[in-house]
């Protein structure tokens, strides 16, 4: 009785690892949010597919655990990496209420990494990943994390930078960051990573503050060494070119 | 003229994405650190392979850019994600000195994500990635990042936690973190991710302080909600089970 929690990476299945596809191949049942089930349907439509709508996360996890306990090999699929703001944690929490099952997490490319690749190389040095969603986290805690990350000159990657109800959160975040980082700090936005309409923008922190982003965007704020190089956002790893590294 | 910078993920090629393997398939030349070239040799040995030893990073990048300018399709391979402490940034920096070429970064699973999957789900909420290597970063800056990340209750993922010359750096890091986090904070160590001898340990922050890790390990320090659940390290995403989420 094994439950895989599988990250599919961004967009197309070509962005999943061989190991992730192998796990789906082995399974009897695949569970997930409707949109991800649609993504794998063409290739894995012959399996038992259990899709549940957004916001029914706990229910989805219970379904997957219960199917596993029936003796099925089950995979729960997520986009990106199931371990970064994904379902992996909730599966462990829910599974506690049942007899022990074997859980295996299969990582995927999270948006921080796939978006960084579109922009250039913003995450080459120490970075902090912060979600601006206050659905499950008090806004005060988000503020503290933004300030501390800015203070320590981390590169910052912001998930969930906007939604209908939170159209000014990115602006608020920029204002906090601007207390510590220069307005000329190089920033980036990537929209629809790995999907149709993929779009990358490199801009300054002052410009980012004035920009409206949507919920399909991931936002990057550079550190003090981040530069724009021929249109790409690139953070220095600290090598001194021409010194004794080459 | 195109230069791919390809992250292979941890260990075996089954941990690379389809897109990464497709890029290697398309290339005439594959460049990289000797160990990674060995990894792809069996499958891609019919290509022109350029391997250079460790610490020759700038030279390796110049080689790759120069091959590309000769009209070859070139891939530079890295383990993990080329965009996280990897070669992607240096490629952009080096390529500046030459005529423009097209650079495409293909992301891979970075150790933060692959190690997290082995431990359970430690990175489910906001996290900071910090390298303890002071080869290219002043130790004072590393200290500041450790303190700020601890202060804001980030989950922390530490790369390069040890080396021959830096056997006490993890202990120093723990002492800084212990100024803000409880000694009972749940932590994890993963050794040899995705390779033979893969090994995960869940322990407390006080125990981590007394533990000697090697350079093939990645270290995780939980936030205040991180728990050990049936031997796995799991951070809460903030869902209240039984509330109106299920």
């Amino acid at each position: 009785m094994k439950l895989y929690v599988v990250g599919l990476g961004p967009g197309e299945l070509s962005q999943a690892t061989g190991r992730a596809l192998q796990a789906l191949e082995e399974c009897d049942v695949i569970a997930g949010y409707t949109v991800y089930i649609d993504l794998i349907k063409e290739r894995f439509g012959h399996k038992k597919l259990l899709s549940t709508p957004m916001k029914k996360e706990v229910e989805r996890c219970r379904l997957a655990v219960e199917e596993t306990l029936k003796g099925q090999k089950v995979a729960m699929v997520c986009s990106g990496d199931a371990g970064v703001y994904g379902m992996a944690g909730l599966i462990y929490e829910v599974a506690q209420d049942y007899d022990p099952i074997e859980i295996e997490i299969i990582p995927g490319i999270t948006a921080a990494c796939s978006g960084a690749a579109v922009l250039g190389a913003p995450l080459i040095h120490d970075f902090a990943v912060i979600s601006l969603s206050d659905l499950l986290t008090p806004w005060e805690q988000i503020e503290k994390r933004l300030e501390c990350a800015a203070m320590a000159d981390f590169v910052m990657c912001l998930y969930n930078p906007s939604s209908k109800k939170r159209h000014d959160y990115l602006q608020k975040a920029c204002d906090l960051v601007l207390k510590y980082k220069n307005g000329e700090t190089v920033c980036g936005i990537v929209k629809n990573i790995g999907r149709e309409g993929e779009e990358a923008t490199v801009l300054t922190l002052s410009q980012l503050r004035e920009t409206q982003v949507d919920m399909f965007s991931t936002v990057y704020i550079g550190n003090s060494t981040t530069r724009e190089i021929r249109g790409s956002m690139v953070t220095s790893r600290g090598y001194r070119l021409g010194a004794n590294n080459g």
Side-chain angles (χ1 to χ4, degrees), chain A:
Chain A
M1 285 183 302
K2 189 157 188 178
L3 174 53
Y4 289 112
V5 188
V6 180
L8 297 175
E12 305 285 299
L13 281 190
S14 64
Q15 314 239 36
T17 65
R19 197 177 155 215
L21 297 176
Q22 180 60 37
L24 298 187
E25 209 64 76
E26 280 173 28
C27 280
D28 310 302
V29 180
I30 303 177
Y33 167 45
T34 320
V35 174
Y36 310 140
I37 289 293
D38 284 348
L39 193 71
I40 56 116
K41 220 176 218 167
E42 197 180 332
R43 184 147 167 197
F44 299 102
H46 55 294
K47 313 264 175 179
K48 182 173 174 185
L49 303 178
L50 299 174
S51 66
T52 59
M54 189 107 103
K55 293 195 180 165
K56 292 283 186 187
E57 285 90 354
V58 175
E59 192 182 285
R60 202 184 307 154
C61 289
R62 289 202 184 284
L63 259 175
V65 171
E66 287 165 10
E67 283 289 323
T68 310
L69 282 163
K70 283 182 200 159
Q72 302 283 291
K73 221 170 196 184
V74 180
M76 160 78 86
V77 291
C78 308
S79 74
D81 184 340
V84 177
Y85 305 109
M87 303 296 286
L90 198 56
I91 283 282
Y92 283 102
E93 294 183 59
V94 165
Q96 281 187 98
D97 300 340
Y98 297 85
D99 287 337
I101 54 171
E102 192 187 342
I103 298 172
E104 182 173 343
I105 312 294
I106 299 187
I109 312 275
T110 186
C113 293
S114 53
V118 178
L119 280 168
L123 302 184
I124 281 300
H125 208 283
D126 304 339
F127 63 96
V129 176
I130 302 171
S131 167
L132 295 193
S133 168
D134 62 351
L135 285 177
L136 304 160
T137 308
W139 177 252
E140 297 66 39
Q141 184 162 39
I142 299 171
E143 284 195 336
K144 185 162 185 189
R145 287 184 179 154
L146 289 164
E147 290 212 40
C148 287
M151 201 187 304
D153 199 27
F154 277 102
V155 179
M156 299 161 74
C157 175
L158 308 181
Y159 281 52
N160 306 308
S162 181
S163 78
K164 274 180 202 151
K165 289 183 194 157
R166 300 177 285 111
H167 62 278
D168 64 337
Y169 280 30
L170 179 59
Q171 194 170 68
K172 282 191 197 174
C174 287
D175 284 335
L176 291 168
V177 171
L178 278 162
K179 288 163 69 176
Y180 307 94
K181 297 200 187 218
N182 194 300
E184 294 302 304
T185 300
V186 178
C187 296
I189 304 169
V190 193
K191 200 171 152 171
N192 299 318
I193 301 171
R195 293 197 305 273
E196 218 183 292
E198 182 181 272
E199 200 184 304
T201 312
V202 178
L203 71 181
T204 66
L205 180 53
S206 305
Q207 289 168 332
L208 179 66
R209 189 194 175 279
E210 307 305 328
T211 304
Q212 194 66 50
V213 302
D214 67 18
M215 58 186 290
F216 304 106
S217 298
T218 306
V219 169
Y220 299 77
I221 300 174
N223 71 17
S224 55
T225 76
T226 306
R227 298 283 172 265
E228 182 172 342
I229 299 182
R230 292 178 175 167
S232 295
M233 178 179 182
V234 181
T235 298
S236 169
R237 193 178 169 188
Y239 284 96
R240 279 147 305 188
L241 294 183
N244 55 355
N245 295 296

